[in-house]
Amino acid sequence: MRIDIEVPEGLNPDLAALGWLVGRWEGTGNGTDHEGNDFHFEQRIEFSHNGEDYLYYASQTFALDDEGNPSSSLGMESGFWRPRSDASVEVVVSSSHGWTEVLVGDIKVIQISLRSDAVVRSASAAVSHTAGQRLYGKVEGDLMYAIDRATEDHELRPWMWARLRKM
């Protein structure tokens, strides 16, 4: 089996394990909110680099109307992904919903698994997010992911999952 791993030009060698993420990804996904309501969304994610030893991450999601068109913003995230020499990774993500999460995990070629190390919420946070886990992978050239989330009201459970194409 051949695994296609991209290493973008100018990428810091310390980021080689995450090189396949670099670029813009777009697609649709599904989710279940903290009250148990299902929703569909469109998402745009960009991973970029500036020569330092981290990737910059920015994500924006939009609710889809009955015709499948983006209708309103569901939120934004931004953060930094920093791989370690032992194939682990540290990720810091801040959400427009009023929380910041530190995740730690493992890189296995084209699969990355993450789990919360810490979550900090602002007093006005939209949801009482307390913990999470994420799985990212490259499947048939696409970025697929699943995010599970726990809140003060429920245990860890599926929250969002999507398949995004590289643009």
Side-chain angles (χ1 to χ4, degrees):
M1 176 171 80
R2 182 177 182 273
I3 298 175
D4 181 28
I5 298 178
E6 303 166 33
V7 179
E9 188 173 323
L11 188 71
N12 183 315
D14 293 342
L15 297 176
L18 298 178
W20 64 272
L21 286 169
V22 173
R24 184 179 173 137
W25 303 84
E26 293 183 9
T28 58
N30 299 292
T32 303
D33 69 17
H34 65 283
E35 295 174 345
N37 301 307
D38 293 337
F39 62 95
H40 305 287
F41 61 90
E42 178 180 288
Q43 185 167 30
R44 300 171 193 151
I45 293 178
E46 187 161 355
F47 288 91
S48 57
H49 64 95
N50 64 2
E52 296 295 326
D53 65 347
Y54 57 84
L55 290 182
Y56 174 72
Y57 159 84
S59 167
Q60 188 164 10
T61 54
F62 301 89
L64 296 176
D65 64 20
D66 293 338
E67 288 79 41
N69 299 310
S71 61
S72 61
S73 176
L74 288 176
M76 296 180 73
E77 284 186 345
S78 64
F80 301 92
W81 292 53
R82 188 181 308 274
R84 313 310 300 161
S85 61
D86 63 356
S88 66
V89 63
E90 301 168 349
V91 178
V92 177
V93 175
S94 290
S95 169
S96 60
H97 295 291
W99 50 263
T100 296
E101 184 172 17
V102 177
L103 300 126
V104 295
D106 301 306
I107 304 169
K108 295 181 180 159
V109 188
I110 55 173
Q111 179 179 308
I112 301 165
S113 59
L114 302 168
R115 64 195 168 286
S116 291
D117 187 47
V119 176
V120 178
R121 295 187 315 269
S122 66
S124 63
V127 175
S128 61
H129 178 62
T130 59
Q133 64 184 24
R134 299 177 181 216
L135 179 62
Y136 293 83
K138 187 174 184 180
V139 179
E140 298 172 346
D142 293 343
L143 173 61
M144 294 184 72
Y145 75 83
I147 302 174
D148 296 343
R149 176 173 73 178
T151 70
E152 290 178 349
D153 300 323
H154 63 76
E155 298 287 324
L156 199 63
R157 68 179 186 197
W159 174 35
M160 296 174 69
W161 54 97
R163 184 172 188 150
L164 311 176
R165 293 168 308 286
K166 195 162 197 176
M167 305 313 283

Coordinates of all heavy atoms in Angstrom, one line a residue, residues 23-85:
G23 N -2.8 23.5 3.9 CA -3.7 23.9 2.8 C -5.1 24.2 3.3 O -5.4 24.2 4.5
R24 N -5.9 24.4 2.3 CA -7.3 24.7 2.6 C -8.2 23.5 2.3 O -8.1 22.9 1.3 CB -7.8 25.9 1.8 CG -9.2 26.4 2.1 CD -9.5 27.6 1.2 NE -10.9 27.9 1.4 CZ -11.4 29.1 1.6 NH1 -10.6 30.1 1.5 NH2 -12.7 29.3 1.8
W25 N -9.1 23.2 3.3 CA -10.0 22.1 3.1 C -11.5 22.6 3.3 O -11.7 23.5 4.1 CB -9.8 21.1 4.3 CG -8.4 20.6 4.4 CD1 -7.3 21.2 5.0 CD2 -7.9 19.4 3.8 NE1 -6.2 20.4 4.8 CE2 -6.5 19.3 4.1 CE3 -8.5 18.4 3.1 CZ2 -5.7 18.2 3.7 CZ3 -7.7 17.3 2.7 CH2 -6.4 17.2 3.0
E26 N -12.4 22.1 2.4 CA -13.8 22.5 2.5 C -14.7 21.3 2.3 O -14.3 20.4 1.6 CB -14.1 23.5 1.4 CG -13.4 24.8 1.6 CD -13.8 25.9 0.5 OE1 -14.8 25.6 -0.3 OE2 -13.2 26.9 0.5
G27 N -15.8 21.3 3.0 CA -16.8 20.3 2.8 C -17.9 20.4 3.8 O -18.1 21.5 4.3
T28 N -18.7 19.3 3.9 CA -19.8 19.3 4.8 C -19.7 18.2 5.8 O -19.0 17.3 5.7 CB -21.1 19.1 4.0 OG1 -21.1 17.9 3.3 CG2 -21.4 20.3 3.0
G29 N -20.5 18.4 6.9 CA -20.5 17.5 7.9 C -21.8 17.5 8.7 O -22.8 18.2 8.3
N30 N -21.8 16.7 9.7 CA -23.0 16.5 10.6 C -22.6 16.7 12.0 O -21.4 16.6 12.4 CB -23.6 15.2 10.4 CG -24.1 15.0 9.0 OD1 -25.0 15.6 8.5 ND2 -23.4 14.1 8.2
G31 N -23.6 17.0 12.9 CA -23.3 17.1 14.3 C -24.5 16.9 15.1 O -25.7 16.8 14.6
T32 N -24.3 16.8 16.4 CA -25.4 16.8 17.4 C -25.0 17.8 18.5 O -23.9 17.7 19.1 CB -25.5 15.4 18.0 OG1 -25.7 14.4 17.0 CG2 -26.6 15.3 19.0
D33 N -25.9 18.8 18.7 CA -25.5 19.9 19.6 C -25.6 19.4 21.1 O -26.0 18.2 21.3 CB -26.3 21.1 19.4 CG -27.8 21.0 19.7 OD1 -28.2 20.1 20.4 OD2 -28.6 21.9 19.2
H34 N -25.3 20.2 22.0 CA -25.3 19.8 23.5 C -26.7 19.5 24.0 O -26.8 18.8 25.0 CB -24.7 20.9 24.3 CG -25.4 22.2 24.3 ND1 -25.4 23.1 23.3 CD2 -26.2 22.7 25.3 CE1 -26.1 24.1 23.6 NE2 -26.7 24.0 24.7
E35 N -27.8 19.9 23.3 CA -29.1 19.5 23.7 C -29.6 18.2 22.9 O -30.8 17.8 23.1 CB -30.1 20.7 23.4 CG -29.7 21.9 24.3 CD -30.5 23.1 23.9 OE1 -31.2 23.1 22.8 OE2 -30.5 24.1 24.7
G36 N -28.8 17.7 22.1 CA -29.2 16.4 21.4 C -29.8 16.7 20.0 O -30.3 15.7 19.4
N37 N -29.8 17.9 19.5 CA -30.4 18.2 18.2 C -29.4 18.0 17.1 O -28.2 18.4 17.2 CB -30.9 19.6 18.2 CG -31.9 19.9 19.2 OD1 -32.9 19.2 19.3 ND2 -31.6 20.9 20.0
D38 N -29.8 17.3 16.0 CA -28.9 17.1 14.9 C -28.8 18.3 14.0 O -29.8 19.1 13.9 CB -29.4 15.9 14.1 CG -29.3 14.6 14.8 OD1 -28.5 14.5 15.7 OD2 -30.1 13.6 14.4
F39 N -27.7 18.5 13.4 CA -27.5 19.6 12.5 C -26.5 19.2 11.4 O -25.8 18.3 11.5 CB -27.0 20.9 13.2 CG -25.7 20.8 13.9 CD1 -24.5 21.2 13.3 CD2 -25.6 20.3 15.2 CE1 -23.3 21.1 13.9 CE2 -24.4 20.2 15.8 CZ -23.2 20.6 15.2
H40 N -26.6 20.0 10.3 CA -25.7 19.8 9.1 C -24.9 21.1 8.9 O -25.5 22.2 9.2 CB -26.5 19.4 7.9 CG -27.4 18.3 8.1 ND1 -26.9 17.0 8.1 CD2 -28.7 18.2 8.2 CE1 -27.9 16.1 8.3 NE2 -29.0 16.8 8.4
F41 N -23.7 21.0 8.5 CA -22.9 22.2 8.3 C -22.0 22.2 7.1 O -21.7 21.1 6.6 CB -22.1 22.5 9.6 CG -21.2 21.4 10.0 CD1 -19.9 21.5 9.6 CD2 -21.6 20.4 10.9 CE1 -19.0 20.5 9.9 CE2 -20.7 19.4 11.2 CZ -19.4 19.4 10.8
E42 N -21.5 23.3 6.7 CA -20.4 23.5 5.8 C -19.2 24.0 6.6 O -19.4 24.7 7.5 CB -20.8 24.5 4.7 CG -19.6 24.7 3.7 CD -20.0 25.7 2.6 OE1 -20.9 25.3 1.8 OE2 -19.5 26.8 2.7
Q43 N -18.0 23.5 6.2 CA -16.9 23.9 7.0 C -15.7 24.3 6.0 O -15.5 23.7 5.0 CB -16.4 22.8 7.9 CG -15.3 23.2 8.8 CD -15.1 22.2 9.9 OE1 -15.3 21.0 9.8 NE2 -14.6 22.7 11.1
R44 N -14.9 25.2 6.5 CA -13.7 25.6 5.8 C -12.6 25.6 6.8 O -12.7 26.3 7.9 CB -13.9 27.0 5.2 CG -15.0 27.1 4.2 CD -15.3 28.5 3.7 NE -16.5 28.5 3.0 CZ -17.3 29.5 3.0 NH1 -17.0 30.6 3.6 NH2 -18.5 29.5 2.3
I45 N -11.5 24.9 6.6 CA -10.4 24.8 7.5 C -9.2 25.1 6.7 O -9.0 24.7 5.6 CB -10.2 23.4 8.1 CG1 -11.4 23.0 9.0 CG2 -8.9 23.2 8.8 CD1 -11.3 21.6 9.6
E46 N -8.3 25.9 7.3 CA -7.0 26.1 6.7 C -5.9 25.9 7.7 O -5.9 26.3 8.9 CB -6.9 27.6 6.2 CG -5.6 27.8 5.4 CD -5.6 29.0 4.5 OE1 -6.7 29.6 4.4 OE2 -4.6 29.3 3.9
F47 N -4.9 25.1 7.3 CA -3.6 24.9 8.0 C -2.5 25.6 7.3 O -2.4 25.4 6.1 CB -3.3 23.4 8.1 CG -4.2 22.6 9.0 CD1 -5.3 22.0 8.5 CD2 -3.9 22.4 10.4 CE1 -6.2 21.2 9.3 CE2 -4.7 21.7 11.2 CZ -5.9 21.1 10.7
S48 N -1.8 26.5 8.0 CA -0.7 27.2 7.3 C 0.5 27.2 8.2 O 0.5 26.8 9.4 CB -1.2 28.6 6.9 OG -1.6 29.3 8.0
H49 N 1.6 27.6 7.6 CA 2.9 27.7 8.3 C 3.7 28.9 7.9 O 3.4 29.5 6.9 CB 3.7 26.4 8.0 CG 4.2 26.3 6.6 ND1 5.4 26.7 6.1 CD2 3.5 25.8 5.5 CE1 5.5 26.5 4.8 NE2 4.3 25.9 4.4
N50 N 4.6 29.3 8.8 CA 5.4 30.5 8.5 C 6.9 30.2 8.8 O 7.7 31.1 8.9 CB 5.0 31.6 9.4 CG 5.2 31.3 10.9 OD1 5.7 30.3 11.3 ND2 4.8 32.2 11.8
G51 N 7.3 28.9 8.7 CA 8.7 28.6 8.9 C 9.1 28.2 10.4 O 10.1 27.7 10.7
E52 N 8.1 28.5 11.3 CA 8.4 28.2 12.7 C 8.0 26.7 12.9 O 7.6 26.0 12.0 CB 7.6 29.1 13.6 CG 8.0 30.5 13.6 CD 9.4 30.8 14.1 OE1 9.8 30.1 15.0 OE2 10.1 31.7 13.5
D53 N 8.0 26.2 14.2 CA 7.8 24.8 14.5 C 6.4 24.5 14.9 O 6.1 23.6 15.7 CB 8.7 24.3 15.6 CG 8.5 25.0 16.9 OD1 7.8 26.0 16.9 OD2 9.1 24.5 17.9
Y54 N 5.4 25.2 14.3 CA 4.0 25.0 14.5 C 3.2 25.3 13.2 O 3.6 26.0 12.4 CB 3.5 25.9 15.6 CG 3.7 27.4 15.4 CD1 2.8 28.1 14.6 CD2 4.8 28.0 15.9 CE1 3.0 29.4 14.4 CE2 5.0 29.4 15.6 CZ 4.1 30.1 14.9 OH 4.3 31.4 14.6
L55 N 2.0 24.6 13.2 CA 1.0 25.0 12.1 C 0.0 25.9 12.7 O -0.4 25.7 13.9 CB 0.3 23.7 11.6 CG 1.1 22.8 10.7 CD1 0.2 21.6 10.3 CD2 1.8 23.5 9.6
Y56 N -0.5 26.9 12.0 CA -1.6 27.7 12.4 C -2.8 27.1 11.8 O -2.9 26.8 10.6 CB -1.4 29.2 11.9 CG -2.6 30.1 12.2 CD1 -2.8 30.5 13.5 CD2 -3.4 30.5 11.2 CE1 -3.9 31.3 13.7 CE2 -4.5 31.3 11.4 CZ -4.8 31.6 12.7 OH -5.9 32.4 13.0
Y57 N -3.9 27.1 12.6 CA -5.1 26.4 12.2 C -6.3 27.4 12.3 O -6.4 28.2 13.3 CB -5.4 25.2 13.2 CG -6.8 24.7 13.3 CD1 -7.3 23.8 12.4 CD2 -7.6 25.1 14.4 CE1 -8.6 23.3 12.6 CE2 -8.8 24.6 14.5 CZ -9.3 23.7 13.6 OH -10.6 23.2 13.8
A58 N -7.1 27.5 11.3 CA -8.3 28.4 11.4 C -9.5 27.6 10.8 O -9.4 27.0 9.7 CB -8.1 29.7 10.6
S59 N -10.6 27.6 11.4 CA -11.8 26.9 11.0 C -13.0 27.7 11.1 O -13.2 28.5 12.1 CB -12.0 25.6 11.8 OG -13.2 25.0 11.6
Q60 N -13.9 27.7 10.1 CA -15.2 28.3 10.2 C -16.3 27.4 9.8 O -16.1 26.7 8.7 CB -15.2 29.6 9.4 CG -16.4 30.4 9.6 CD -16.3 31.9 9.1 OE1 -15.4 32.2 8.5 NE2 -17.3 32.7 9.5
T61 N -17.4 27.3 10.5 CA -18.5 26.5 10.1 C -19.8 27.3 9.9 O -19.9 28.3 10.6 CB -18.8 25.4 11.2 OG1 -19.0 26.0 12.5 CG2 -17.6 24.4 11.3
F62 N -20.6 26.8 9.0 CA -21.9 27.5 8.7 C -23.0 26.5 8.7 O -22.9 25.4 8.2 CB -21.8 28.1 7.3 CG -20.7 29.1 7.1 CD1 -19.4 28.7 6.7 CD2 -20.9 30.4 7.4 CE1 -18.4 29.6 6.5 CE2 -19.8 31.4 7.2 CZ -18.6 30.9 6.8
A63 N -24.1 26.9 9.3 CA -25.3 26.1 9.2 C -25.8 26.0 7.8 O -25.6 27.0 7.0 CB -26.4 26.7 10.1
L64 N -26.4 24.9 7.4 CA -27.0 24.7 6.1 C -28.5 24.9 6.1 O -29.1 24.3 7.0 CB -26.6 23.4 5.5 CG -25.1 23.2 5.2 CD1 -24.8 21.8 4.7 CD2 -24.5 24.2 4.3
D65 N -29.1 25.6 5.1 CA -30.5 25.7 5.1 C -31.1 24.4 4.4 O -30.4 23.5 4.1 CB -30.9 27.0 4.4 CG -30.5 27.0 2.9 OD1 -30.2 26.0 2.3 OD2 -30.5 28.1 2.4
D66 N -32.4 24.4 4.2 CA -33.1 23.2 3.7 C -32.6 22.9 2.3 O -32.7 21.7 1.8 CB -34.6 23.4 3.7 CG -35.2 23.5 5.1 OD1 -34.5 23.0 6.0 OD2 -36.2 24.0 5.3
E67 N -32.0 23.8 1.5 CA -31.5 23.6 0.2 C -30.1 23.2 0.2 O -29.5 23.1 -0.9 CB -31.8 24.8 -0.7 CG -33.2 25.0 -1.1 CD -34.0 25.7 0.0 OE1 -33.5 26.6 0.7 OE2 -35.2 25.2 0.2
G68 N -29.4 23.2 1.4 CA -28.0 22.8 1.5 C -27.1 24.0 1.3 O -25.9 23.8 1.1
N69 N -27.6 25.2 1.4 CA -26.8 26.4 1.2 C -26.4 27.0 2.6 O -27.2 26.9 3.5 CB -27.5 27.5 0.5 CG -27.9 27.1 -0.9 OD1 -27.0 26.6 -1.7 ND2 -29.2 27.2 -1.3
P70 N -25.2 27.5 2.7 CA -24.8 28.1 4.0 C -25.7 29.3 4.4 O -26.0 30.1 3.6 CB -23.4 28.7 3.7 CG -22.9 28.0 2.5 CD -24.1 27.6 1.7
S71 N -26.2 29.2 5.6 CA -27.2 30.2 6.0 C -26.8 31.2 7.2 O -27.1 32.3 7.2 CB -28.5 29.6 6.4 OG -28.3 28.7 7.5
S72 N -26.0 30.6 8.1 CA -25.5 31.5 9.2 C -24.3 30.8 9.8 O -24.1 29.6 9.7 CB -26.6 31.6 10.3 OG -26.9 30.3 10.8
S73 N -23.5 31.6 10.5 CA -22.2 31.1 11.1 C -22.6 30.3 12.3 O -23.4 30.6 13.1 CB -21.4 32.3 11.5 OG -20.2 31.8 12.2
L74 N -21.9 29.1 12.4 CA -22.0 28.3 13.6 C -20.8 28.5 14.6 O -20.9 28.1 15.7 CB -22.1 26.8 13.3 CG -23.3 26.3 12.6 CD1 -23.2 24.9 12.2 CD2 -24.5 26.5 13.6
G75 N -19.8 29.2 14.1 CA -18.7 29.5 14.9 C -17.3 29.4 14.2 O -17.2 28.9 13.1
M76 N -16.3 29.8 15.0 CA -14.9 29.7 14.4 C -14.0 29.2 15.5 O -14.3 29.3 16.7 CB -14.5 31.1 14.1 CG -15.3 31.8 12.9 SD -14.7 33.4 12.5 CE -13.1 33.0 11.7
E77 N -12.9 28.6 15.1 CA -11.9 28.1 15.9 C -10.5 28.6 15.3 O -10.4 28.7 14.1 CB -11.8 26.6 16.0 CG -12.8 25.9 16.8 CD -12.5 24.4 17.0 OE1 -11.7 23.9 16.2 OE2 -13.1 23.8 17.8
S78 N -9.6 28.9 16.1 CA -8.2 29.1 15.6 C -7.3 28.5 16.6 O -7.6 28.3 17.8 CB -7.9 30.6 15.4 OG -8.0 31.3 16.6
G79 N -6.1 28.2 16.2 CA -5.1 27.6 17.1 C -3.8 27.2 16.5 O -3.5 27.6 15.3
F80 N -3.0 26.5 17.2 CA -1.7 26.1 16.8 C -1.5 24.6 17.1 O -1.9 24.1 18.1 CB -0.7 26.9 17.6 CG -0.8 28.4 17.4 CD1 -1.6 29.1 18.3 CD2 -0.2 29.0 16.3 CE1 -1.8 30.5 18.0 CE2 -0.4 30.3 16.1 CZ -1.2 31.1 17.0
W81 N -0.9 23.9 16.1 CA -0.5 22.5 16.2 C 1.0 22.4 16.2 O 1.7 22.9 15.3 CB -1.1 21.8 15.0 CG -2.6 21.7 14.9 CD1 -3.5 22.7 14.9 CD2 -3.3 20.5 14.7 NE1 -4.7 22.2 14.8 CE2 -4.7 20.9 14.7 CE3 -3.0 19.1 14.6 CZ2 -5.7 19.9 14.5 CZ3 -4.0 18.2 14.4 CH2 -5.3 18.6 14.4
R82 N 1.5 21.8 17.3 CA 3.0 21.7 17.5 C 3.3 20.2 17.7 O 3.1 19.6 18.7 CB 3.4 22.5 18.7 CG 4.9 22.6 18.9 CD 5.2 23.4 20.1 NE 4.6 24.7 20.2 CZ 5.0 25.8 19.6 NH1 6.1 25.8 18.9 NH2 4.3 26.9 19.8
P83 N 3.9 19.6 16.6 CA 4.3 18.2 16.7 C 5.6 18.0 17.6 O 6.4 19.0 17.6 CB 4.6 17.7 15.3 CG 5.0 19.0 14.6 CD 4.2 20.1 15.3
R84 N 5.8 16.9 18.2 CA 7.0 16.7 19.0 C 7.8 15.5 18.4 O 7.3 14.8 17.6 CB 6.6 16.2 20.5 CG 5.5 17.1 21.2 CD 5.7 18.6 21.1 NE 6.9 19.0 21.8 CZ 7.5 20.2 21.6 NH1 6.9 21.0 20.8 NH2 8.6 20.5 22.2
S85 N 9.0 15.4 18.7 CA 9.9 14.5 18.1 C 9.6 13.0 18.4 O 10.0 12.1 17.7 CB 11.4 14.7 18.5 OG 11.5 14.6 19.9

